[in-house]
Each structure stands twice: as structure tokens, then as C-alpha cells.
Amino acid sequence: MIVVTGATGNVGRPLLQALAAADERVTAVSRTAASAAQLPDGVRHQTADLADPASLATALAGAEALYVLVAADAARLSPRDIVGAAKAAGVGRIVLQSSQGAETRPRNASHDHLRAFEDAVRQGGTEWTILRPGGFASNAYQWAETVRTGRTAAAPFADVALPVVDPADIADVAAAALRDGRHAGRTYTLTGPAALTPRDQVAAIGAALGEPVRFVELSREEARVNLLRFMPEPVVDGTLAIIGAPSPAEQRVSPDVELVTGRAARTFADWAVRNAAAFK
């Protein structure tokens, strides 16, 4: 049995679908019972909170593998207690969704909690795999309302390119790592197949819709004010540092999606076509 935390997010949903399609026994963990309605057929739901590791005991009973996905406010969590609860329940394999910034931004406080989780997983006494995705293609949902209502999208750093990754690719890599011990002890950097600018991404959304979407460039400060409405300040500053002045490593296309799945990473245009309904 495989347990998936963060089960209703942009990665969790396709991960549950991939595991269910492979006929795995799956338990989806979320903090509210209301989330159960969103689950694929055959997936069991269990309410638990990573902030209370003891609450995981029922969900983890009989589990062989655990997917750990923590939210941006994960500084309140205890990585060692969560890993300890998994080991005490007999879980033999943990796959952690971290972030590329945990490696590329070692002095960035916004990634401290992910580095702590990585250390806890490596030292926890189970098989482990760490996934470090770069920016998500699904971050483009931030433009959904303005594209729907006015066919415009605003972002800073219009011509700075990054190889954003499709969450479905993260899910496919995660499914492979959860099911196959050959990925134990590996750390994978996950990106899309090409670096694209925000301007390029907006153009791809327009192409998926079949009509142009106007791009509006924001200043850094305008973008910061917008992001502070739903992200903690350290995360906002860390995000702006990456998307505004990425390092060569952050702009580099990684081969790891193809290495694990045996196929090329999905393009942003693919993502835009599959999710065009959100922008119509």
C-alpha cells in the first residue's frame, strides 16, 4: 500500500491517478474529509495532519511507501517526527517532493524547511528518493482570471526564461520512485524540456485558446505586492530571486524526467492545451 500526502494538489491528483491506474492500493491523506470527493475510484481517504505526526498512524498502518509533499508553510512541521512516524509504522520507502531551490539557493531562508526534510529523509533509516522540481507550469493558473475576463496576463521579468515542469511529469516520476526500489538513494532534478519566458508562456496559452492574450509586464515591486497576498514573505522573496535572476543551474534543462519515465518531458504548450478550460 502506498500513502500520498498533499493528495489533492497539482501533483497529488495526477499521482493518485497514476498509482490507481497501475492497480496499486493507495491511501490519500489530507487535512479535511471534504477532499475525499476529489479522489479517483478505489483510492482510500484518511484525514491526518503532518503537523501532528501521531495522526498519521492509521493512514500509515500497512503502508510500504510514503509520498511526502509539504506546503509552503512547512516551517511549522517537524521533519524528523514525520519520518520517525513513518519508520515506526513499518514504511520502508519515502519519496520526498522538495524543490530545486533547496540545492541552488543554499542561503535562501525560504528553502530551509525543505533542506531539513531532505536531511531527515536521508538519515531516517528507510529507502529514500528526493525529487527537486523547478518552477511549475501550473503556476500559470495565477493568470486564469485575467485571461478569462480580459485576455490579459501580467508578470514580472518578461524575458527571463526557465524550464518549468508539468506537474503531471512530477507525478509520473514520483509514481515510479514509489513503486520501484531501483530509485532508492537518488535525487532527481525535474524540469520541462525547454526554457520559456513568461511572455512565451502567455503566448502558448493564447495558442491553446485560439485567440491572442496580451502580456503586461509588472515591476518587481508590483509583483511582490501581488504575491504577498497569498505567500509568506520569505517565500515571495525567494521566488522573485529565482524567476528574476536565475542561476545557470536553474535555467538548465534536466534529463531526469526522461531518465525515469523513458519519455521526453511534456512541454508547456502541452500543459496549456490540457488545461485550456481554466482560461476560457
Side-chain angles (χ1 to χ4, degrees):
M1 193 259 286
I2 297 172
V3 174
V4 177
T5 67
T8 58
N10 289 318
V11 175
R13 288 193 303 272
L15 175 55
L16 293 178
Q17 292 164 356
L19 293 172
D23 293 324
E24 296 287 352
R25 292 173 53 230
V26 185
T27 295
V29 173
S30 62
R31 285 184 286 185
T32 64
S35 304
Q38 306 174 34
L39 303 180
D41 291 342
V43 173
R44 180 175 76 114
H45 180 264
Q46 183 68 44
T47 302
D49 190 344
L50 291 177
D52 177 15
S55 73
L56 296 169
T58 301
L60 293 173
E64 299 173 357
L66 169 66
Y67 192 67
V68 178
L69 189 157
V70 296
D73 62 349
R76 66 192 179 93
L77 306 181
S78 170
R80 294 191 184 280
D81 287 345
I82 293 168
V83 173
K87 186 177 181 184
V91 173
R93 180 178 303 151
I94 295 177
V95 178
L96 171 69
Q97 182 178 311
S98 182
S99 168
Q100 186 181 25
E103 177 184 28
T104 59
R105 302 282 167 162
R107 289 181 291 277
N108 191 327
S110 67
H111 291 89
D112 284 349
H113 66 285
L114 289 175
R115 284 187 283 270
F117 266 98
E118 289 191 6
D119 290 343
V121 166
R122 289 193 185 98
Q123 299 164 13
T126 70
E127 289 185 4
W128 57 267
T129 305
I130 293 171
L131 310 185
R132 288 177 173 162
F136 285 24
S138 55
N139 289 344
Y141 283 136
Q142 67 185 302
W143 300 320
E145 183 177 356
T146 60
V147 172
R148 284 195 303 265
T149 59
R151 291 295 187 255
T152 64
F157 316 120
D159 299 307
V160 178
L162 288 167
V164 296
V165 62
D166 190 321
D169 282 341
I170 304 172
D172 286 348
V173 173
L178 287 163
R179 301 179 67 217
D180 189 341
R182 289 179 296 178
H183 300 286
R186 302 292 299 273
T187 299
Y188 294 117
T189 298
L190 307 181
T191 73
L196 293 179
T197 68
R199 198 188 304 275
D200 294 332
Q201 293 177 39
V202 171
I205 292 170
L209 294 173
E211 54 186 290
V213 176
R214 185 170 65 92
F215 181 84
V216 178
E217 184 168 14
L218 299 176
S219 69
R220 186 186 190 281
E221 190 54 37
E222 287 171 331
R224 188 174 189 274
V225 170
N226 288 342
L227 292 173
L228 283 171
R229 292 183 297 177
F230 57 90
M231 293 168 63
E233 186 172 10
V235 176
V236 169
D237 291 335
T239 299
L240 290 172
I242 291 172
I243 66 175
S247 68
E250 290 161 345
Q251 292 185 297
R252 188 177 303 129
V253 170
S254 168
D256 287 352
V257 168
E258 185 167 4
L259 177 69
V260 175
T261 66
R263 57 158 181 79
R266 296 173 173 93
T267 67
F268 183 85
D270 292 335
W271 180 91
V273 169
R274 295 199 326 272
N275 294 280
F279 300 90
K280 286 183 178 177

